[in-house]
Amino acid sequence: MEEDTPRLHSYKEMLLDKQDISEADYFVPEIENPMTQQKGKETTGPIILSYEDKNRLYEPWCYSIIIKLFGRRMPHYLLRSKLIELWNPFERLILIDLGWDFFIAKFGKEENLAKAIQQGPWFISGSFLSVRRWEPKFFPHEATLSLTAIWVRLPQLPTEFYAKEILEKIGRKLGKLLKIDTCTSVTLRGIYARICIRVPLESPVATSVTIGDYKQSVVYEGENILCMGCGRIGHTVKGCSHGMKQTQSTTPQDNPECPNSKPNGESNSKPDGEEEEEWKIVSFPRRRKQGPPT
């Protein structure tokens, strides 16, 4: 005589919900997969870094700097070549691309770090090279530049104002003086004086400076570095977001021989005291590559 054994139901019968299938059959406990239990589980608490851990992690970067070429993008290989030419380091220069136009220049010797930090400001192809010491937890996408260095010219500056004390006062009026051009400091260039200043990016730069009762115009060096609409460093009119000043065209329409003429007989001249000063820039002409002799 066969023992009473529970009848096993087929998958089809379970789907059809046969009357003879007891309710308990639907709740047969399943053995959980250990991998399933761990899915989606998050660790709790941070990984603690000891003082020794931090020293060990930071030590390889102690002579490194974080750089960014302001207002210009340059391929990795070309930037590295320019930096080697600029700094002439005593060792192999390791350049690491961090994204967002930031790079790490990694040195192994302190003298190379000191030169890059202390002997600036540095310029590559007329663009300012921002240099800062390496810092832990640096996020390129969150980093911003609020200051930049730029060379300015003081055209036709009277020779008596070439004195170092006066040039320093001019530099402090325009921003923060960083360096005086060598030829300017020894009064070898009389066409213009040349100084390097640091200026904020969020404020318009000056168009002139008054020395005593003498008004001196200011010219900024660089290509696509100064917005002629708002007077701020770091962008051009096309990318201006500061409410670009609307200027009238001075190109004559009716009489091309008269530079001050306007259509309908209007004059370009403005009443005394209402003349607006424009920002002035100068860029260096690009050198043409010499081909092989023909």
Side-chain angles (χ1 to χ4, degrees), residues 87-98:
W87 292 332
N88 191 23
F90 306 116
E91 58 186 326
R92 179 174 177 266
L93 174 63
I94 300 176
L95 188 65
I96 304 171
D97 191 348
L98 299 178

Side-chain angles (χ1 to χ4, degrees), residues 174-282:
L174 299 176
K176 180 179 180 180
L177 180 66
L178 299 179
K179 184 180 292 187
I180 299 175
D181 180 67
T182 303
C183 293
T184 298
S185 61
V186 295
T187 325
L188 293 179
R189 179 186 289 125
I191 301 176
Y192 58 84
R194 187 171 182 257
I195 59 176
C196 184
I197 60 174
R198 188 170 65 190
V199 295
L201 297 176
E202 66 273 9
S203 302
V205 294
T207 58
S208 62
V209 59
T210 302
I211 311 167
D213 58 354
Y214 174 76
K215 191 174 184 179
Q216 174 64 52
S217 62
V218 179
V219 180
Y220 296 86
E221 291 185 3
E223 183 179 359
N224 298 326
I225 196 68
L226 173 62
C227 177
M228 303 302 289
C230 70
R232 290 174 173 84
I233 301 292
H235 65 273
T236 59
V237 172
K238 292 182 179 179
C240 183
S241 59
H242 296 278
M244 182 184 66
K245 180 180 65 176
Q246 299 297 325
T247 56
Q248 294 181 339
S249 174
T250 57
T251 304
Q253 301 294 332
D254 290 348
N255 187 3
E257 296 181 357
C258 180
N260 292 325
S261 65
K262 272 191 174 183
N264 303 325
E266 297 178 2
S267 174
N268 271 330
S269 61
K270 297 182 180 180
D272 294 340
E274 295 186 6
E275 183 179 357
E276 294 182 352
E277 294 182 348
E278 298 294 334
W279 294 276
K280 300 177 182 178
I281 59 174
V282 61

